[in-house]
Amino acid sequence: MSCSDTRPIPHALAPLMPLPEPPPEAVLRVRLLSALGAVRRRPAPAEELAARLVRLEGNLAACAFARLRADARGLRRLATRLGLSEMAHVAASVEDCAARGDAAALGATVARLGRCGAGAQAALGRAG
């Protein structure tokens, strides 16, 4: 079975699913981390989140399950640090699917993670 056969068509799913809204305390935490991030010279949370999501989707396209699992772990830690609990939960599911090598479930969970990430990036943009 080819990994590319299990990827959902993004434009078929995205219009049907509403973007999740992060809790207000997560938005406040992001504002604080953004202010502190300038002192620590870290990339902005929204930029780091976007880069990690792009890398994760690239690893899915390449069927690189070990790298996908590592990227999902990093994304889970970032989401936890930012207070995005739903995104952290979905990233943990991606990590679990990658560990099991379940290509069909990976396509669905990475698509869900992308939707969570889009909502989080929108909230981070409003917070910054």
Side-chain angles (χ1 to χ4, degrees):
M1 180 169 105
S2 171
C3 183
S4 61
D5 294 337
T6 60
R7 293 191 65 196
I9 302 170
H11 63 276
L13 296 175
L16 303 177
M17 304 297 289
L19 296 176
E21 285 290 326
E25 60 271 6
V27 174
L28 292 175
R29 187 174 299 142
V30 167
R31 285 182 182 162
L32 177 63
L33 288 172
S34 294
L36 293 174
V39 174
R40 292 190 222 160
R41 304 213 188 275
R42 289 185 133 179
E47 293 172 6
E48 188 176 353
L49 188 68
R52 287 179 184 267
L53 283 169
V54 167
R55 216 171 45 221
L56 192 100
E57 290 173 356
N59 288 333
L60 176 64
C63 296
F65 294 147
R67 287 188 308 224
L68 191 124
R69 183 178 179 197
D71 284 340
R73 184 181 313 115
L75 191 58
R76 177 179 48 86
R77 290 177 182 161
L78 175 64
T80 301
R81 192 176 81 223
L82 296 175
L84 302 168
S85 58
E86 181 181 355
M87 188 169 188
H89 179 72
V90 176
S93 296
V94 170
E95 191 178 348
D96 182 50
C97 291
R100 288 181 296 155
D102 188 353
L106 263 174
T109 54
V110 168
R112 182 174 175 210
L113 187 59
R115 291 189 301 272
C116 287
Q121 286 175 325
L124 291 175
R126 287 192 304 264

